[in-house]
Amino acid sequence: MIRTVAVVIFPGFQILDAAGPAAAFEIAERFSPGSYDLVLMAPGGGEVESSSGLKLSARPLEEGALDTVVMSGGDILRSREALQEILAWLRRVEPRRMTSVCSGAYLLAEAGLLDGRSATTHWANSDDFSRRYPKIRLDAERIFIRDGDIWTSAGISSGIDLALALIEDDLGQEIARRTAHQLVIHQRRPGGQSQFSALVELGGRTGRFSGLIAWMREHLAEPLTVERLADHVAMSPRNFARTFAAETGTTPGKALERLRLEAARAAIETGHTPLEHIAEAAGFGDPGRMRRAFLRNFGQPPQALRRAARPQQSRPA
């Protein structure tokens, strides 16, 4: 069964939004010949300039038997004529799956395809997106979300995670796993994994809590209550919790769990330290609590991630 996958671009598109998913489908086709027919489409067709200045050649928008549409993101307002043509096309076309990468969600939203659905987009756009489209249930902490036949993904690199999930949906876990390894990705990230860590790494939208985040990383094994964190930045607990959430888009408790998860995952995937020692060093206290956190956030237990991170032979790209 050949599935036609149309990657849609426009003047000012982000090149990795298109190239990342395209590479994943290309490699999956190697492992399962006859599975995908990959096409690049754009309003009017021809050479299309990306936000970086690099150009790709695309065919005009078509309405044939499309299995999957991947709507790239980028500077969607560079050409209003192209924008209107895409919106009209999105409202007419009927693929089996409609998907978007990063700000491509704006185009699906403008076309009315996301009303009443759950969706995600890049965390930096979350406030603006929510104001513009109150009928959409935005979850800016997810790297991708599936709501029926519509899939949306977060920032640029998450388009690869989205493509791997689509490949797994089509061809099964083994082909998706082999594709991920060929892309030199140890393990595809499940959609439930939070994208907030990028914002937390910056210390919030203004960087106000960057020093606090660095300090938390150094004290993960210790009890880090809201009161203790607030004291470290010389704020009242109530004001700190409210300000931290406004800056980072998440609560201090969730941020702390994410930092502990990242530290534990790195230790699990790169070494052979016993899980009980990792759980203690990361601040989980015991392996059982760490396992529950991994299942809740990654959809897999620590042992599965350790097995997946072991080097496996793969033919060269």
Side-chain angles (χ1 to χ4, degrees):
M1 176 183 177
I2 299 179
R3 303 165 179 84
T4 301
V5 178
V7 179
V8 181
I9 60 175
F10 48 85
F13 75 99
Q14 166 54 243
I15 199 162
L16 190 58
D17 283 7
F25 285 114
E26 174 210 344
I27 292 171
E29 169 68 17
R30 295 188 202 174
F31 294 129
S32 182
S35 294
Y36 294 113
D37 176 28
L38 190 63
V39 297
L40 192 64
M41 296 184 184
E47 283 198 341
V48 183
E49 186 176 75
S50 69
S51 58
S52 68
L54 296 176
K55 298 179 180 179
L56 294 180
S57 181
R59 66 173 68 171
L61 295 174
E62 300 171 358
E63 298 179 39
L66 300 178
D67 179 85
T68 302
V69 169
V70 180
M71 187 68 247
S72 62
D75 182 4
I76 60 178
L77 296 179
R78 180 178 294 191
S79 171
R80 292 191 177 275
E81 182 180 353
L83 171 62
Q84 293 305 315
E85 185 174 342
I86 288 175
L87 293 178
W89 180 80
L90 287 173
R91 293 179 182 121
R92 295 193 309 267
V93 72
E94 296 182 347
R96 181 172 67 93
R97 297 180 301 204
M98 182 69 74
T99 77
S100 67
V101 182
C102 198
S103 58
Y106 277 83
L107 293 164
L108 301 192
E110 280 292 321
L113 302 180
L114 298 180
D115 287 354
R117 294 180 183 260
S118 296
T120 192
T121 189
H122 193 288
W123 59 262
N125 297 328
S126 59
D127 290 343
D128 177 69
F129 192 93
S130 294
R131 284 194 300 269
R132 288 175 182 267
Y133 310 110
K135 294 181 181 179
I136 299 170
R137 297 188 297 272
L138 182 70
D139 186 346
E141 286 202 2
R142 304 285 293 278
I143 62 170
F144 69 82
I145 288 177
R146 176 183 186 178
D147 190 326
D149 57 354
I150 296 186
W151 308 53
T152 52
S153 62
I156 301 168
S157 66
S158 65
I160 298 175
D161 298 289
L162 172 66
L164 289 169
L166 295 168
I167 290 164
E168 182 173 324
D169 190 52
D170 291 336
L171 307 177
Q173 189 175 47
E174 178 60 18
I175 296 296
R177 182 189 64 79
R178 293 174 67 188
T179 301
H181 287 162
Q182 190 74 1
L183 288 165
V184 198
I185 298 173
H186 285 305
Q187 175 71 38
R188 77 165 180 84
R189 298 177 291 177
Q193 183 165 333
S194 175
Q195 61 162 317
F196 93 86
S197 57
L199 185 54
V200 170
E201 287 285 351
L202 298 174
R205 290 178 170 81
T206 66
R208 178 175 183 175
F209 294 111
S210 58
L212 174 65
I213 297 301
W215 180 82
M216 289 168 68
R217 286 190 181 281
E218 296 174 357
H219 297 80
L220 290 177
E222 303 172 16
L224 296 179
T225 62
V226 170
E227 289 74 17
R228 188 178 179 192
L229 297 177
D231 183 66
H232 186 76
V233 291
M235 298 174 70
S236 71
R238 183 177 180 181
N239 187 38
F240 164 70
R242 182 174 60 250
T243 305
F244 187 92
E247 280 282 310
T248 67
T250 193
T251 65
K254 288 184 178 179
L256 176 59
E257 181 178 70
R258 174 58 51 178
L259 295 175
R260 285 175 167 159
L261 282 166
E262 290 175 351
R265 182 169 185 169
I268 287 165
E269 293 184 335
T270 60
H272 302 281
T273 304
L275 295 182
E276 55 267 27
H277 294 169
I278 293 175
E280 183 177 352
F284 287 107
D286 64 79
R289 184 180 173 195
M290 182 173 72
R291 185 177 189 277
R292 290 190 293 273
F294 268 63
L295 288 171
R296 185 168 59 251
N297 288 272
F298 301 137
Q300 300 179 79
Q303 297 90 332
L305 293 175
R306 173 163 281 179
R307 286 193 298 270
R310 292 172 182 166
Q312 299 195 32
Q313 292 185 342
S314 173
R315 71 180 184 179

